[in-house]
Amino acid sequence: MILADKITAERKKNGWSQEELAEKLSVSRQAVSKWESAQSIPDLQRIIRMAELFGVSTDYLLKDEMEELEELQPYSEPKKSEMLRSVSMEEANAFLEMKQRNAPKIANATFLCIISPALLILLAGLSDSHIWNISEAFATGAGLVFLFGVVAAAVFMFITCGSGESRTEHLEKEAFETEYGVSGMVKEKRNAYEATFTRGIAIGVVLCILAVVPLLMVGIMDAPDYVCCAFVSLLLVIVATGVDIMIRVGMIKGSYDTLLQEGDYSKTEKRMKRKLDAFHTAYWCTATAIYLGWSFWTMRWDFTWIVWPVAGVLFVAVSAVARMLVGAEE
């Protein structure tokens, strides 16, 4: 139980409202509300006064959270050359709120990128099959306008979100220390979110797996080309939906791990990522260049999309090799 929960529990046990406790401590009701919602931490004099009012020891109010902090950040001799930034309760809450706002925006931008060639593929299939008298020129022109327009909108969303997060990027890339109470608050929020995260990841993975089922069915049925193209477009939409859901929950879960410096955001992983960032950028730039070059050269946009799933599979393997090489150097 963190300090915020203990203040709430002891206040209710004594039958006091927030206003009554605030009056006894000579503070505003808003201050008590922030303490109980873990948005801020009372100073030492207020903690001592609350211990007297509640009839408990200051150790009871502080002990559990200090133990959690020691478990998450075990003591080690400080290095003179290592000056760690300190993250306050207000900064931690602002970071979590920003990630919650940006998660749906980043997810939607990724959704747009994935579905961007869908209309081009569909129109190309209709044009080749002479459905609705759609000419090849119209199919290509309209499809490319949609593709570049959607990608442009997605890039705009990526840039606006990225500029807003630039002030806190050191939390994801550098080691830091948290002030008293931050780790306990974040850990409690992460535990409460765990079920939502697991459900979101499960739904996203299932959608990505089931996306290929309609395409396999039309392949077995030997359907016309325009039907196959329509189902390829549907595949992209289903996959995009699954990825959208996974990014939404993953970013929020990642914000908790970032502040706790656990999982992919541990100090060891941060050092590893700094060394691999250049490789990842070069890899995806190369994949994009291959996709665009091949597509414009052959004008087979209905087929060249295969570059992305192949690049995704290869990325996992190549990243693992790069990680092993970097780990060996360390």
Side-chain angles (χ1 to χ4, degrees), residues 53-284:
L53 290 172
F54 296 151
V56 299
S57 66
T58 53
D59 282 348
Y60 165 74
L61 294 177
L62 301 175
K63 184 178 179 182
D64 292 344
E65 196 151 350
M66 291 303 294
E67 287 178 351
E68 281 187 355
L69 193 60
E70 290 173 0
E71 290 175 3
L72 293 170
Q73 300 175 340
Y75 175 79
S76 60
E77 287 293 332
K79 298 179 181 179
K80 292 183 180 179
S81 61
E82 187 178 13
M83 298 295 291
L84 299 181
R85 299 193 189 192
S86 181
V87 178
S88 67
M89 181 68 75
E90 289 77 11
E91 290 171 332
N93 276 300
F95 174 74
L96 294 177
E97 291 172 2
M98 178 193 65
K99 285 294 185 180
Q100 289 178 348
R101 289 195 307 269
N102 286 349
K105 297 177 183 177
I106 296 295
N108 290 339
T110 306
F111 177 92
L112 292 176
C113 287
I114 296 174
I115 68 164
S116 60
L119 182 62
L120 181 62
I121 294 170
L122 177 60
L123 292 177
L126 294 174
S127 174
D128 290 343
S129 301
H130 305 290
I131 303 294
W132 297 341
N133 294 322
I134 296 177
S135 66
E136 183 178 350
F138 175 82
T140 302
L144 288 177
V145 168
F146 177 81
L147 186 151
F148 288 116
V150 168
V151 170
V155 169
F156 175 80
M157 295 167 71
F158 283 132
I159 292 175
T160 53
C161 290
S163 62
E165 294 188 2
S166 60
R167 296 187 299 273
T168 60
E169 63 181 5
H170 64 278
L171 296 178
E172 299 177 350
K173 296 182 178 180
E174 302 172 9
F176 59 86
E177 59 185 13
T178 55
E179 293 183 1
Y180 165 75
V182 173
S183 294
M185 177 272 293
V186 175
K187 195 169 187 179
E188 186 168 275
K189 287 189 175 183
R190 185 183 65 176
N191 292 340
Y193 190 73
E194 195 68 39
T196 301
F197 169 75
T198 302
R199 183 170 58 252
I201 294 297
I203 293 172
V205 171
V206 169
L207 285 175
C208 289
I209 294 173
L210 294 179
V212 300
V213 173
L215 192 59
L216 292 175
M217 291 178 60
V218 297
I220 294 173
M221 297 168 57
D222 195 22
D225 289 345
Y226 73 90
V227 175
C228 293
C229 289
F231 276 88
V232 168
S233 299
L234 177 61
L235 178 148
L236 293 176
V237 173
I238 297 174
V239 169
T241 303
V243 172
D244 183 292
I245 295 171
M246 289 190 285
I247 290 176
R248 286 172 186 263
V249 297
M251 282 189 64
I252 296 175
K253 171 67 161 48
S255 67
Y256 300 137
D257 290 342
T258 298
L259 291 175
L260 294 173
Q261 299 191 89
E262 294 181 358
D264 291 338
Y265 300 94
S266 65
K267 294 177 181 179
T268 302
E269 284 295 319
K270 286 177 181 178
R271 289 197 300 270
M272 187 79 71
K273 285 181 179 179
R274 283 199 295 270
K275 296 183 177 182
L276 292 175
D277 276 348
F279 163 75
H280 292 163
T281 301
Y283 180 90
W284 287 112

Side-chain angles (χ1 to χ4, degrees), residues 120 136 140-141 143-145 147-148 288-305 307:
L120 181 62
E136 183 178 350
T140 302
L144 288 177
V145 168
L147 186 151
F148 288 116
T288 303
I290 292 173
Y291 169 69
L292 293 176
W294 187 18
S295 299
F296 280 113
W297 181 265
T298 62
M299 296 307 293
R300 289 294 308 276
W301 296 84
D302 59 327
F303 178 76
T304 54
W305 63 270
V307 167

